[in-house]
Amino acid sequence: MTDDLDEMGPIDYLVVEFPGSKMTGEGLPLLVELHDRGIIRILDLLFIRKELDGSVAGLAIADLDHDGVLDLAVFEGAASGLLGTEDVDHAGSVLEPGSSAGILVYENRWAGPFAAALRRGGGRLVANGRIPIQEALAALEASEVSA
């Protein structure tokens, strides 16, 4: 197990809200493809709903796009233990009442060899982050205007 941990890539999470609990399932085949190609490894996958009274409840993985097939059955039971009750409560606190969300914790397997090489070379991660696409687009647009 230690050898596997030494080779792991960075682990990220995301919470995607579906206002009004309107999930089309359009992104699900792409998530499955990322997994099948070995680009990511799904560690935790959970769907929640925030009721109109503010309470939060888990949702079963189901036929989200209503085509008669369980969309994410391949990930049913994906639970590494990284995603706890406090995390679910926090995710629920940012949702609008009547909305649902998917909570995904995943390993960036594509970065595993690079991350392992850095660790073997004595490197350690001291900061990381993500630039929201809206900010990136605004910065690129501003740089084009000033050029």
Side-chain angles (χ1 to χ4, degrees):
M1 181 67 171
T2 302
D3 290 340
D4 289 342
L5 292 176
D6 289 341
E7 297 299 316
M8 282 187 80
I11 296 173
D12 286 329
Y13 75 94
L14 54 87
V15 178
V16 179
E17 180 180 38
F18 297 94
S21 293
K22 293 181 173 106
M23 295 184 226
T24 66
E26 184 177 344
L28 300 178
L30 299 171
L31 179 63
V32 171
E33 181 182 347
L34 289 170
H35 172 269
D36 290 350
R37 291 178 48 205
I39 294 170
I40 64 170
R41 177 170 53 156
I42 305 299
L43 300 174
D44 290 284
L45 179 60
L46 176 67
F47 290 92
I48 61 173
R49 175 174 167 76
K50 186 170 188 174
E51 302 296 340
L52 295 176
D53 67 5
S55 62
V56 177
L59 296 173
I61 293 177
D63 180 12
L64 300 173
D65 58 6
H66 308 292
D67 67 356
V69 178
L70 291 179
D71 298 301
L72 296 175
V74 67
F75 301 126
E76 192 165 14
S80 68
L82 290 173
L83 188 60
T85 303
E86 185 177 301
D87 301 311
V88 173
D89 291 343
H90 181 67
S93 73
V94 299
L95 298 180
E96 290 295 321
S99 293
S100 298
I103 306 171
L104 176 65
V105 179
Y106 60 98
E107 174 194 1
N108 290 285
R109 295 189 77 188
W110 61 269
F114 175 63
L118 292 176
R119 288 189 293 266
R120 284 191 303 272
R124 62 185 182 95
L125 182 64
V126 295
N128 71 337
R130 181 151 290 150
I131 299 170
I133 190 64
Q134 296 85 348
E135 288 181 29
L137 291 173
L140 290 170
E141 187 175 290
S143 69
E144 289 176 4
V145 169
S146 64

